[in-house]
Amino acid sequence: MSWARVAGASGGHVRGRLAWRPRPGSRGDPGPARVATPARLAWRPGPGSRNDPGGPVLAGLPMPSAPTDPLELLAQSLQAQAPSKRMLIIVNPYATTVSDRLKNLVVYALQGRYEVDAIDTQARGHATELCQEAAREGYDVVVAFGGDGTVNEAANGLAGSNTPLTCLPGGRANVYCRMLGIPTEIVDATEHLLRLADDWRPRRVDLAHVNERRFLFSAGVGLDASVVEAVDAAPHLKARHGEWYYAAMAIHTFARHYLLHPIRLEATLGREKATGVSVIVQNGTPYTYFGDRPVNLGEGADLTSGDLAGIVLERASAIDIPTVMWRAFSQRARVARHRRVQAFSGLPGLHVRSLDERPVPIQVDGDYIGAAPEATFGITPGGLAVVA
């Protein structure tokens, strides 16, 4: 008889078991065994004997441990399938929920169905440059792994190209992920992208812009942009406290800068004009999320409607702001019906300017991009390819 370490049905080693095999050609011989050839076998004494080491050994080689992480298990189940598409993953290493270990596990899992390259962003605007290069090199898809700011930069790099964008949740709100129907839990989102390889249906969605900067779902001028500016100034607090830090800075910014002598704006909405302290423009709904609760402001625009919607907040008083916020979180009351709000929808563009010569702060998709004396909004129908 002979002894051999045999492989299980899945191809992995049968750990801790030596299989008896009859002499070749005898009646009980089942034929050639699948032998794991790289490992050298060591003789093992009988169980319980004086020389028994307590289990089978591979001479000089440690036994590998079975994977326990859900992403590792998912990847291992897909390794037999050959990758068919080139994927570039743009990773923001400073995003709220992104870590080196998580990035490596995600890449490992996605390699089961894609030929994957992953690059960390180094500074603001880097994701845009990487995506422009990816479109030139002919990648089949670009994945933005970070928050909505990372997705926005990626979209700016892919605008007008045929290279589709998709995303993995790495931020706090992950608004665009939700709008595309991608799960906000990383394992589920990774599995979602793996399934796309068998149901590959890129489509085109609208891409809005303010001045020279494109945005995916919302932008703002005035009060909401001032809040985003204050939040972005303390990224560690933003990451630690999330939406509650936004709420705290909204109150602080309102009390300090908008309760007395706020910036005054004029918005040209087609043939109408409106004045106020804040203008919010949306390319889809909702405006954002507070935890899992959608915050609805503008009404009427979606990712393929070809137009813009939003609101003009006419005044920011100690009475108005709490009632506007209550409507924003309510499932029944609508911000557009507030007496200090002028709603608009169905516009291909609009123009906002400062009435008191102070530059107005601007934010896009939750990122502060600076201040300017005026802001011109527009939309490009079908300006971005996505796959989700």
Side-chain angles (χ1 to χ4, degrees), residues 98 126 232:
V98 175
H126 190 202
D232 284 354

Side-chain angles (χ1 to χ4, degrees), residues 78-266:
L78 293 164
Q79 287 301 311
Q81 305 182 52
S84 60
K85 291 180 172 60
R86 294 179 68 205
M87 170 183 284
L88 177 64
I89 305 178
I90 307 294
V91 184
N92 179 359
Y94 303 105
T96 304
T97 63
V98 175
S99 66
D100 284 340
R101 178 178 179 276
L102 183 61
K103 177 190 73 174
N104 292 336
L105 289 173
V106 166
V107 170
Y108 177 60
L110 291 173
Q111 283 173 337
R113 299 308 310 277
Y114 301 93
E115 182 183 337
V116 179
D117 293 317
I119 304 178
D120 288 357
T121 57
Q122 304 298 322
R124 279 185 178 268
H126 190 202
T128 299
E129 297 174 5
L130 293 172
C131 288
Q132 290 170 341
E133 185 65 24
R136 287 192 292 267
E137 291 190 7
Y139 276 88
D140 294 298
V141 62
V142 172
V143 181
F145 186 13
D148 287 309
T150 306
V151 184
N152 175 279
E153 287 194 9
N156 274 265
L158 295 175
S161 76
N162 291 321
T163 303
L165 172 69
T166 191
C167 48
L168 284 170
R172 178 70 67 168
N174 303 303
V175 177
Y176 205 62
C177 272
R178 301 188 204 213
M179 295 177 82
L180 292 180
I182 297 173
T184 56
E185 203 283 319
I186 188 61
V187 175
D188 293 339
T190 303
E191 188 172 3
H192 182 88
L193 296 194
L194 288 167
R195 287 196 299 268
L196 290 180
D198 296 319
D199 188 21
W200 194 254
R201 291 184 291 177
R203 59 191 176 98
R204 301 201 74 88
V205 296
D206 301 339
L207 193 58
H209 63 266
V210 53
N211 295 344
E212 300 300 320
R213 181 65 175 265
R214 299 174 178 91
F215 64 93
L216 293 163
F217 55 91
S218 72
V221 180
L223 175 57
D224 83 312
S226 295
V227 174
V228 171
E229 178 186 11
V231 170
D232 284 354
H236 60 292
L237 294 177
K238 173 183 175 181
R240 179 180 300 177
H241 303 293
E243 57 270 16
W244 296 105
Y245 185 61
Y246 273 94
M249 293 312 297
I251 296 171
H252 172 80
T253 302
F254 161 68
R256 184 172 182 180
H257 299 292
Y258 284 82
L259 190 57
L260 299 174
H261 309 298
I263 294 173
R264 297 296 299 172
L265 311 172
E266 180 185 72

